Amino acid sequence: MSRIPKYPVSAAKENRPGISNSRIISRTIGNGFSDVEKKNLLMNHTKPMNGTTTNKVAAPRIKRSATAPSSATVPTKTAKVEKKTTTVAARIPSYDYKARFNDLIEKHKVIKSELSELKEKHLEISDEYEKVKDTVESSVSERDALKEKLLNTYTELRKQSTDLESLKLDYEILKRENDDLHGKTRLLEDMTKSLKIKTAEYDKLKTEYDDLTRRYKSLSDEAEALRVLTDHLKKVSAEYDTLQINHKDALDTISKTKSDSEALQNILANMYKEQRILRNTVQDLKGNIRVYCRVRPPLESEASKPLYNLNVLDACSMEVEKIELLNSARKGKSQHSFSFDGIFTPHSSQEDVFAEVSPMVQSALDGYNVCIFAYGQTGSGKTYTMEGGNGVEKYGIIPRAIDMIFDGMVDLKRMGWELSIKASFLEIYNEIIYDLLNSSKDQESHEIKMVNSKCTDLYVSNLKEEEVKSSHDFIRLLIFAQRNRQTAATLNNERSSRSHSVAQIKISAINEKRKEKFTSNLNLVDLAGSESGKTTQRMDETKHINRSLSELSKVILSLQTNQSHIPYRNSKLTHLLMPSLGGNSKTLMLVNINQFDESFNETLNSLRFATKVNSCRTIKAKKNITMVDS
């Protein structure tokens, strides 16, 4: 430290007025610092100020003190010195501790303010860091999700590509089989032509043989009458020998023709078998559950009812639209599009409907279980579609199906098949099963049971079955069942329209020559339609109907989402339809709707339910054929 000249005490007091007060102020200010801070301040600011190093150190101190804000506690003389130092850049004398201490305080305030700013910046940067960190983590998770989605999409694409290749291969196989079938058909036509020629030759030989026989008889009579004519008799004997030879040739020709006929019958049987396999393969490609929509035309008494817009886009697509009008201006518009396997417009006839249904009936003749059911609201034409009206042209699916079955039996009998047909009729009313072929009021209880533990086929206990020999017998039973329903309807307040009706046709066939047999079931179901009831009885019926239809919707939804448990047993209807919906059966659904504006909401519900059914995929149906034990 530089030496400070000693002055007399009095002189020192005179030259430095107020020094005691400044010491007291410096002590009070210095008490605000810790020992370490005081030591650092003294070490940095009490070095000797001689030579070049003193100037180098003092300059930045004066500059920083000039930029620092002025303190309110510093005396005015010190402020004047600071103003002068900003312009003159004078250094503080080493003995002026007060000024130096004030300078340090100003510097400390500046540094402290800078520290506060740095802390605030640090907090802001920390917040930004956390935000960036969260953004990075969300981006990483989103990237992982996109990677997983891309992988799933790639896997699905490979699966779809594999399915496409499989379908292409199946198409090529079917095309080859079709070509082989056409070749066999041409071969059969050639053989048929050859057989016709041989048959004509056989008829000609038979005619000649009959002529020769009559001639031989005439000659024999002449031989008996004219024994003397030996030469003539010899001639007749020679002719007789020739006739015997011709007869032998004719017998050989007949035997050969018979063997050709048996070969032709075998070819026909094989062709029928291949045609049956090809026909059911095409149906399997279309799907075991098929859905059609039929629009009921308005009756003459309903001509004044307002209709909603219904646009049939093509054979499989349609749009329904409800337009509300207010003051002759359009208030709102809503369109709903639906697609099915086929759509029957109001102009479609009963024959048009059965033309699409007949392949399913043929599958029943081929040995497959088949279920056809009509769904829709009350008054949509379900019963008319299934049963029809008076007259052959108005026959519904049930009478046309039985006619087709008995017509097909004729062809099957020609190929060695023996068939028997049994029919039964039942209805489900308020979750109770009734036998419609039993006219007694006190019926035994009917339960749905499994045929055996190894299959999904069901049967109804204590249900009466009648064997039918012709279409007339079946129609007679159908009318009897309808009559029982109508009688019950009188007693139970329109029960006929408030129950699910089921007509079951059981086909049993056996071929002793081929040692084969099969049993198939054709179920024809007319479901009840839901509507709000006004009385307690009607409300109870509505509750049971809505419950059974709701359970049917749950079963369809479970099948659509591939659930492990399907709630078939929650209602009698779903339990009875279990083999048709998820078992070994081919199923066709006809959703019936009308075009009245007041029924628009019910129509939407029916179409949406039919769409769910159409999206279900069940297992491939198998033919119920077995070998006959010897």
Side-chain angles (χ1 to χ4, degrees):
M1 296 177 62
S2 63
R3 294 186 178 182
I4 301 172
K6 296 180 179 180
Y7 296 99
V9 176
S10 60
K13 291 181 180 180
E14 293 175 357
N15 294 330
R16 292 182 292 173
I19 189 169
S20 61
N21 296 330
S22 64
R23 287 180 181 176
I24 294 171
I25 294 172
S26 63
R27 286 176 184 174
T28 56
I29 295 174
N31 290 332
F33 299 98
S34 63
D35 295 337
V36 179
E37 290 176 345
K38 291 178 181 180
K39 186 177 180 180
N40 292 333
L41 289 173
L42 291 174
M43 290 295 293
N44 294 330
H45 298 279
T46 58
K47 293 181 181 180
M49 305 175 66
N50 51 2
T52 57
T53 57
T54 304
N55 296 329
K56 292 180 179 179
V57 175
R61 289 179 184 172
I62 295 169
K63 187 175 181 181
R64 293 181 68 179
S65 63
T67 58
S70 60
S71 176
T73 59
V74 180
T76 57
K77 289 183 179 181
T78 307
K80 291 180 180 180
V81 173
E82 288 178 356
K83 289 181 180 179
K84 290 179 180 180
T85 54
T86 55
T87 56
V88 181
R91 66 185 180 86
I92 301 173
S94 59
Y95 58 84
D96 194 356
Y97 291 104
K98 183 178 180 179
R100 293 173 64 185
F101 185 74
N102 290 333
D103 184 35
L104 291 176
I105 289 174
E106 295 297 330
K107 291 179 180 179
H108 178 263
K109 289 182 179 179
V110 173
I111 293 172
K112 193 173 181 180
S113 63
E114 290 178 355
L115 178 61
S116 299
E117 292 178 357
L118 289 175
K119 286 182 178 180
E120 293 178 356
K121 290 183 179 179
H122 179 264
L123 292 176
E124 293 177 358
I125 291 172
S126 298
D127 295 337
E128 291 180 358
Y129 170 75
E130 292 298 329
K131 293 179 180 178
V132 171
K133 186 178 179 181
D134 295 338
T135 305
V136 170
E137 290 178 355
S138 62
S139 299
V140 170
S141 61
E142 185 177 359
R143 181 200 63 189
D144 295 337
L146 289 174
K147 282 184 179 179
E148 184 178 359
K149 186 176 181 181
L150 179 61
L151 181 61
N152 294 334
T153 304
Y154 178 71
T155 305
E156 185 67 21
L157 179 61
R158 292 184 62 184
K159 183 180 179 181
Q160 294 292 338
S161 300
T162 305
D163 295 341
L164 179 60
E165 294 296 331
S166 177
L167 288 175
K168 286 183 179 179
L169 182 60
D170 293 340
Y171 172 75
E172 293 295 333
I173 293 174
L174 290 175
K175 186 177 180 182
R176 271 196 220 104
E177 291 178 354
N178 193 20
D179 294 338
D180 294 340
L181 189 61
H182 282 298
K184 291 179 180 179
T185 304
R186 288 192 293 270
L187 179 61
L188 182 62
E189 290 176 354
D190 295 339
M191 294 183 65
T192 304
K193 291 179 181 179
S194 177
L195 183 61
K196 287 181 179 179
I197 294 173
K198 290 181 180 179
T199 303
E201 292 178 355
Y202 168 74
D203 293 337
K204 184 178 179 181
L205 289 174
K206 186 177 180 181
T207 303
E208 292 178 356
Y209 172 74
D210 293 337
D211 293 339
L212 289 174
T213 303
R214 287 192 296 270
R215 186 178 178 183
Y216 169 73
K217 186 177 180 180
S218 176
L219 291 175
S220 297
D221 294 338
E222 290 180 0
E224 290 294 335
L226 301 172
R227 290 177 177 268
V228 292
L229 299 175
T230 306
D231 295 337
H232 184 67
L233 182 59
K234 290 181 179 180
K235 184 178 179 181
V236 171
S237 298
E239 291 179 355
Y240 177 76
D241 294 336
T242 303
L243 183 61
Q244 289 291 336
I245 294 172
N246 293 334
H247 177 67
K248 186 177 180 180
D249 293 339
L251 291 177
D252 293 338
T253 304
I254 292 172
S255 178
K256 187 176 180 181
T257 303
K258 186 176 181 180
S259 62
D260 291 340
S261 178
E262 292 178 355
L264 180 62
Q265 188 175 3
N266 291 330
I267 291 174
L268 286 173
N270 292 330
M271 284 185 63
Y272 177 77
K273 183 177 180 180
E274 292 177 358
Q275 183 182 9
R276 181 180 59 206
I277 294 173
L278 184 61
R279 179 172 56 244
N280 287 281
T281 301
V282 172
Q283 287 193 10
D284 291 338
L285 292 175
K286 292 181 179 179
N288 283 342
I289 294 184
R290 306 180 68 184
V291 179
Y292 291 85
C293 176
R294 187 179 191 185
V295 184
R296 180 177 78 83
L299 302 177
E300 294 181 358
S301 59
E302 300 169 336
S304 60
K305 289 186 177 182
L307 307 177
Y308 61 82
N309 288 345
L310 189 147
N311 300 322
V312 179
L313 304 179
D314 52 37
C316 301
S317 302
M318 62 183 297
E319 286 182 353
V320 293
E321 173 187 3
K322 184 176 182 179
I323 301 176
E324 297 178 357
L325 301 179
L326 182 61
N327 296 327
S328 301
R330 179 173 292 187
K331 180 180 178 182
K333 178 180 179 181
S334 59
Q335 289 183 348
H336 305 271
S337 300
F338 299 95
S339 296
F340 304 105
D341 294 299
I343 296 174
F344 301 108
T345 63
H347 304 288
S348 300
S349 62
Q350 296 280 66
E351 185 177 358
D352 297 333
V353 175
F354 188 74
E356 295 292 335
V357 177
S358 58
M360 304 294 286
V361 181
Q362 182 62 45
S363 295
L365 279 173
D366 293 338
Y368 294 88
N369 293 332
V370 176
C371 178
I372 302 172
F373 67 94
Y375 179 88
Q377 65 187 100
T378 302
S380 58
K382 301 185 299 298
T383 304
Y384 179 78
T385 300
M386 297 301 295
E387 298 179 2
N390 297 326
V392 179
E393 295 180 355
K394 294 183 179 180
Y395 276 1
I397 293 176
I398 295 178
R400 290 177 185 269
I402 199 65
D403 287 341
M404 181 177 177
I405 289 173
F406 279 102
D407 290 341
M409 286 175 60
V410 177
D411 296 332
L412 290 174
K413 286 182 179 180
R414 291 175 183 173
M415 300 176 188
W417 289 91
E418 294 294 332
L419 288 89
S420 64
I421 308 296
K422 292 182 179 181
S424 60
F425 298 86
L426 63 92
E427 69 173 350
I428 303 174
Y429 175 71
N430 287 351
E431 288 298 308
I432 301 175
I433 298 177
Y434 293 92
D435 186 359
L436 294 179
L437 295 182
N438 187 356
S439 58
S440 63
K441 296 181 180 180
D442 299 329
Q443 295 189 11
E444 298 181 6
S445 62
H446 304 282
E447 299 294 334
I448 302 173
K449 298 182 179 180
M450 302 287 292
V451 175
N452 54 58
S453 60
K454 297 182 180 180
C455 65
T456 59
D457 294 336
L458 302 174
Y459 74 96
V460 180
S461 62
N462 302 322
L463 188 65
K464 187 177 181 180
E465 285 186 347
E466 291 285 345
E467 185 174 359
V468 292
K469 299 293 185 180
S470 63
S471 301
H472 179 72
D473 293 342
F474 182 85
I475 298 299
R476 179 177 54 82
L477 293 176
L478 178 62
I479 295 173
F480 182 78
Q482 291 174 346
R483 189 175 301 162
N484 281 340
R485 291 187 71 194
Q486 291 172 359
T487 303
T490 304
L491 298 176
N492 292 312
N493 191 12
E494 297 184 3
R495 174 178 163 185
S496 61
S497 63
R498 314 298 296 164
S499 63
H500 307 298
S501 172
V502 182
Q504 294 181 332
I505 301 174
K506 185 177 181 181
I507 304 174
S508 300
I510 185 171
N511 192 324
E512 295 290 347
K513 186 177 181 180
R514 295 178 175 272
K515 301 298 181 183
E516 293 178 352
K517 66 177 182 179
F518 69 83
T519 301
S520 60
N521 294 293
L522 175 61
N523 294 324
L524 304 168
V525 185
D526 180 11
L527 298 178
S530 61
E531 62 180 358
S532 60
K534 296 181 180 179
T535 63
T536 305
Q537 177 69 15
R538 291 297 295 269
M539 290 178 66
D540 189 59
E541 292 173 357
T542 303
K543 181 182 68 175
H544 285 92
I545 291 173
N546 290 340
R547 178 175 175 267
S548 62
L549 295 179
S550 176
E551 294 298 336
L552 181 60
S553 300
K554 291 180 181 178
V555 168
I556 295 300
L557 182 61
S558 300
L559 290 171
Q560 185 181 13
T561 55
N562 296 324
Q563 297 291 329
S564 58
H565 172 69
I566 310 298
Y568 289 115
R569 298 177 183 269
N570 289 355
S571 72
K572 294 293 179 73
L573 176 63
T574 55
H575 195 184
L576 187 64
L577 294 180
M578 182 177 70
S580 304
L581 296 176
N584 181 27
S585 177
K586 297 184 178 184
T587 305
L588 186 144
M589 173 183 173
L590 277 163
V591 55
N592 296 81
I593 61 174
N594 57 41
Q595 205 176 346
F596 302 133
D597 188 68
E598 61 185 9
S599 305
F600 183 77
N601 293 331
E602 290 293 335
T603 299
L604 275 184
N605 294 333
S606 300
L607 294 175
R608 286 167 180 165
F609 175 75
T611 303
K612 292 180 182 179
V613 176
N614 199 22
S615 62
C616 290
R617 295 294 179 266
T618 60
I619 61 175
K620 181 180 179 181
K622 298 180 180 179
K623 183 180 178 183
N624 303 321
I625 191 168
T626 57
M627 301 303 295
V628 179
D629 295 335
S630 303

